[in-house]
Amino acid sequence: MLLFAIVADAQYYFRGEVKDPTGAGLALVRIRVHSSNSFYQSGSTGGFGLPSSKVRDTVSFFLNGYEEKTVVLNSNEFSTVEIKPSSAISNPKRKLLSLTKDKVQERNNIGFANGETYSEQIENSFNNTAEYPSVGFALNVDKASYSNIRRFINTHSVVPKDAVRIEEMLNYFPQQYKAPQQGKEFYTESQLTDCPWNPMNRLLFLQLHARKINYDSLPPSNFVFLVDVSGSMDLPNRLPLLQTAFRMMVQNLRPIDTISMMVYGGTVGIVLQPTGGNEKEKIMAVIDSLGAGGDTPGESAIRQAYRLAQSQFIKGGNNRVILATDGDFNVGESSEEALIQLITQKQQTGIYLTCLGVGMGNYKDSKLEVLAKKGNGNFAYLDNIPEAEKVLVKELMQTLYAVVDDAYLNASFNTKQIKKYRLIGFDNRKDVLADSASILEGGEIGTGHIVTAVFEVEMNSTYNADEELATAELGYQTVNEKEKQAETFQLRNNYKSLYTVDSSYRFSAAVAMFGLMLKQSPHLKVYSWESLINLLNSSVNRNDYWQQELLQLVLKAKEIYKPVKERRRLFRKKKKEKTEIILF
């Protein structure tokens, strides 16, 4: 009787599709049938079928980033419903990496270096705590800057200043993992120590350890590889390197994972239909068959890759497009503004974007960086096979499995303790700072990832060792439920000298110093390549390959930058005032 009542109540059916203004089908659109107040979702290509007790009914369509639309549907007709991007998506706000509340940002485009492009940055300056006590910054897992720096130095080249992003250099090196408390997403830790390039100041470190999920417990993945096979990729450090990287990654796929592959070069096409992770031989054969040639229709390829990902969308799973390219789009929309708008629309679908950059000479770091950030994803640069193994095998979970989205941290400094402070790294793009509508950007954090942030601080002369230095508020959004969460904690005055602090903090201080030297930062006061090498020698873990490699890289950099006169400034204080000088 109950079944009969349901059938009698829903005797009509509305069929149709929901699209954007370009004609592309929109997946996962929430659809409300007013007569029954029932909710449904559009399919992977935008199609829908809705039961109703009426021959004509009022129906509403909802999708994040798009305007709500209400129409009257007729069960005797196939309906095409178009919904438009909201003004916030049509004119997306630029995203800041860091923001000092109430401060007018300095206006110090894109910089060019040997045919490569980098986003021009403005280095964060010192803030007077009494005037600007709070600063916020985005958290992310990007590490591309360090491997790109390594590529320049290994080819005996000066590193472009705008290629140096210190927060990514700090992200690059694995730290000893510490698990969060039960019910928490992050373990937090801070440390105050000496500043090796300014004896009058100190460094305040902040570490956040994201919750680690066991690999077997991760939800199923829907990966779409979008591979640039245009003519510019026909070099050993481009397409062949990517093929090697993908072969290594495929070995770790599980039967519950799905992988598809598209290529673009002259034309755009699917070379591997959605395939289970257990069919490794089939996947490997497609990877081996790839060859380079043709133009670079990147914009069209990105649109089609998202459509393919939508067609296999796993609710509650890890849905991700992995774009692998040198970033040189030369067919269709290729400007950063157009690509920003495209990716901002697509990220509303719940599909992440990971960008893997390769190549040199025409490498477009600026495009890949902004695509990854707008795509709610991350960005890595592969300069050799060990790096490919690090990103897609050893750190696969951190790279491709997010535990939180839109993660940011806001630090409010105690005016009684800190006179001035400066956030090192997280420097904003010049064009973003020039846009008065810019907003702070949160980032994606992968499972088990450790974020290290560093502040250079000038202490008040009458500080109290028992008071907190700052209060930090950590904000983020859960991946599946999209619920906003916040955690607050104190940064204590736990000062230890650079001689006695844990070696991991000495090493991080050396990484930051290296970045500042490559940027030729005006905030360096006392420094030399010898002092940096000594600092590294006192902190490098001899059993850590990546830390050992950094030491060798600094030795090479010293030879490249040797003609540049090293700057030393003497500090003079009032008589009888003791000055602590740190020597390495």
Side-chain angles (χ1 to χ4, degrees):
M1 291 177 64
L2 179 61
L3 288 173
F4 178 79
I6 293 173
V7 171
D9 188 54
Q11 53 188 318
Y12 299 102
Y13 207 65
F14 302 106
R15 293 178 177 82
E17 57 188 357
V18 56
K19 294 186 173 184
D20 67 14
T22 68
L26 294 172
L28 306 177
V29 177
R30 293 185 73 230
I31 307 172
R32 178 192 172 205
V33 178
H34 285 230
S35 64
S36 61
N37 198 31
S38 300
F39 286 85
Y40 305 89
Q41 281 188 334
S42 63
S44 59
T45 60
F48 61 81
L50 313 170
S52 173
S53 60
K54 297 183 177 182
V55 66
R56 291 167 60 86
D57 208 336
T58 304
V59 179
S60 295
F61 297 81
F62 311 87
L63 181 63
N64 286 340
Y66 289 79
E67 296 177 359
E68 176 186 339
K69 186 163 187 177
T70 300
V71 297
V72 176
L73 298 184
N74 190 326
S75 62
N76 297 320
E77 300 174 354
F78 184 88
S79 303
T80 298
V81 179
E82 179 185 300
I83 60 175
K84 298 178 180 179
S86 65
S87 58
I89 298 301
S90 299
N91 302 289
K93 293 182 179 180
R94 294 178 175 274
K95 300 295 186 73
L96 295 164
L97 283 178
S98 59
L99 176 65
T100 304
K101 188 177 180 182
D102 299 327
K103 185 176 183 181
V104 177
Q105 302 295 332
E106 300 165 45
R107 310 288 197 265
N108 203 17
N109 318 349
I110 301 301
F112 293 85
N114 300 321
E116 304 184 4
T117 63
Y118 295 91
S119 300
E120 208 171 328
Q121 303 168 33
I122 303 298
E123 190 174 359
N124 290 324
S125 58
F126 276 96
N127 296 314
N128 289 313
T129 310
E131 192 174 4
Y132 306 110
S134 298
V135 63
F137 56 94
L139 306 178
N140 59 59
V141 297
D142 293 341
K143 305 171 184 178
S145 180
Y146 176 76
S147 50
N148 193 27
I149 288 168
R150 178 176 60 204
R151 184 253 301 186
F152 276 102
I153 293 174
N154 280 336
T155 56
H156 208 74
S157 302
V158 171
V159 181
K161 294 179 185 179
D162 291 321
V164 180
R165 297 186 286 271
I166 294 175
E167 73 279 5
E168 293 183 22
M169 296 174 67
L170 290 164
N171 265 345
Y172 185 86
F173 297 95
Q175 300 280 355
Q176 184 176 357
Y177 177 74
K178 297 177 183 177
Q181 293 180 354
Q182 187 72 26
K184 298 284 188 180
E185 292 292 343
F186 289 92
Y187 169 87
T188 58
E189 180 177 276
S190 64
Q191 181 64 58
L192 183 68
T193 188
D194 301 302
C195 178
W197 59 84
N198 187 345
M200 309 308 299
N201 287 348
R202 288 181 176 167
L203 295 183
L204 176 59
F205 287 91
L206 175 61
Q207 277 193 0
L208 299 103
H209 302 238
R211 178 172 54 89
K212 184 182 290 186
I213 304 175
N214 184 282
Y215 186 62
D216 295 332
S217 303
L218 289 170
S221 293
N222 163 33
F223 293 133
V224 175
F225 286 173
L226 177 57
V227 187
D228 182 352
V229 294
S230 62
S232 65
M233 297 290 288
D234 192 19
L235 288 170
N237 63 345
R238 299 188 189 187
L239 182 57
L241 175 59
L242 286 173
Q243 289 172 296
T244 301
F246 288 148
R247 288 190 202 100
M248 291 189 289
M249 177 185 166
V250 166
Q251 295 296 340
N252 288 304
L253 290 177
R254 303 164 298 175
I256 61 172
D257 298 327
T258 301
I259 184 170
S260 315
M261 185 173 293
M262 292 185 61
V263 296
Y264 64 101
T267 59
V268 179
I270 299 173
V271 293
L272 178 68
Q273 293 290 344
T275 302
N278 56 324
E279 298 187 62
K280 291 181 172 51
E281 290 186 8
K282 178 180 177 181
I283 299 169
M284 293 289 193
V286 172
I287 293 172
D288 291 342
S289 70
L290 300 180
D295 293 324
T296 318
E299 180 233 2
S300 172
I302 290 172
R303 290 185 186 277
Q304 293 191 42
Y306 270 95
R307 290 193 195 113
L308 181 55
Q310 288 173 2
S311 73
Q312 301 299 311
F313 191 89
I314 301 172
K315 191 173 182 179
N318 178 27
N319 299 277
R320 189 175 297 263
V321 172
I322 302 172
L323 170 63
T325 176
D326 58 11
D328 189 17
F329 300 167
N330 55 30
V331 173
E333 291 286 4
S334 59
S335 72
E336 286 190 28
E337 291 299 325
L339 292 170
I340 284 173
Q341 184 168 330
L342 169 62
I343 296 299
T344 302
Q345 290 180 14
K346 294 302 182 183
Q347 66 104 350
Q348 300 295 324
T349 62
I351 297 169
Y352 294 85
L353 175 67
T354 290
C355 294
L356 301 177
V358 293
M360 58 190 297
N362 65 338
Y363 171 57
K364 302 299 184 283
D365 179 276
S366 59
K367 285 183 181 173
L368 294 184
E369 178 198 6
V370 76
L371 287 178
K373 286 182 169 59
K374 289 294 180 183
N376 209 22
N378 49 41
F379 172 36
Y381 177 81
L382 309 182
D383 59 332
N384 54 36
I385 291 174
E387 182 65 16
E389 183 180 18
K390 181 177 185 288
V391 172
L392 293 177
V393 179
K394 295 178 180 177
E395 297 175 359
L396 175 71
M397 293 169 62
Q398 295 176 22
T399 304
L400 300 179
Y401 294 87
V403 289
V404 299
D405 285 334
D406 198 21
Y408 67 91
L409 187 134
N410 191 76
S412 298
F413 287 87
N414 185 345
T415 56
K416 297 178 182 179
Q417 299 280 72
I418 306 295
K419 183 178 180 181
K420 293 181 180 180
Y421 68 90
R422 185 177 88 86
L423 176 62
I424 298 174
F426 300 93
D427 299 323
N428 287 299
R429 289 164 50 125
K430 180 179 178 181
D431 59 338
V432 175
L433 282 177
D435 184 351
S436 60
S438 296
I439 58 175
L440 182 66
E441 174 180 44
E444 169 205 63
I445 300 295
T447 171
H449 181 63
I450 301 170
V451 177
T452 299
V454 190
F455 296 92
E456 183 179 346
V457 299
E458 180 182 334
M459 304 291 292
N460 271 323
S461 57
T462 57
Y463 70 86
N464 183 348
D466 296 325
E467 263 190 72
E468 77 278 358
L469 300 175
T471 299
E473 181 182 353
L474 172 63
Y476 56 87
Q477 185 173 266
T478 54
V479 171
N480 293 323
E481 293 80 10
K482 302 300 180 184
E483 295 179 355
K484 292 188 176 180
Q485 305 287 339
E487 299 177 18
T488 303
F489 52 96
Q490 306 294 322
L491 279 61
R492 302 291 180 185
N493 189 341
N494 56 357
Y495 169 77
K496 288 184 179 179
S497 75
L498 209 52
Y499 295 105
T500 60
V501 77
D502 187 273
S503 61
S504 65
Y505 288 109
R506 269 200 312 281
F507 179 80
S508 293
V511 173
M513 185 174 176
F514 183 36
L516 292 171
M517 291 174 70
L518 293 176
K519 291 177 78 73
Q520 299 176 38
S521 170
H523 298 290
L524 289 168
K525 303 299 181 183
V526 178
Y527 69 95
S528 68
W529 288 103
E530 284 74 17
S531 64
L532 174 58
I533 292 165
N534 290 337
L535 181 57
L536 278 170
N537 275 322
S538 75
S539 59
V540 162
N541 181 346
R542 302 299 170 182
N543 297 318
D544 188 309
Y545 170 82
W546 305 107
Q547 292 192 15
Q548 288 279 10
E549 183 193 56
L550 174 64
L551 178 57
Q552 298 306 312
L553 205 65
V554 169
L555 291 171
K556 292 179 183 178
K558 176 187 173 184
E559 296 305 312
I560 297 170
Y561 288 83
K562 200 172 184 179
V564 179
K565 186 177 180 180
E566 294 174 339
R567 178 174 44 175
R568 294 178 179 271
R569 292 181 182 174
L570 298 177
F571 289 80
R572 294 180 175 88
K573 299 287 283 182
K574 292 180 181 179
K575 289 182 179 181
K576 299 182 181 180
E577 187 173 354
K578 184 178 179 181
T579 302
E580 182 183 6
I581 304 294
I582 304 162
L583 298 175
F584 288 91

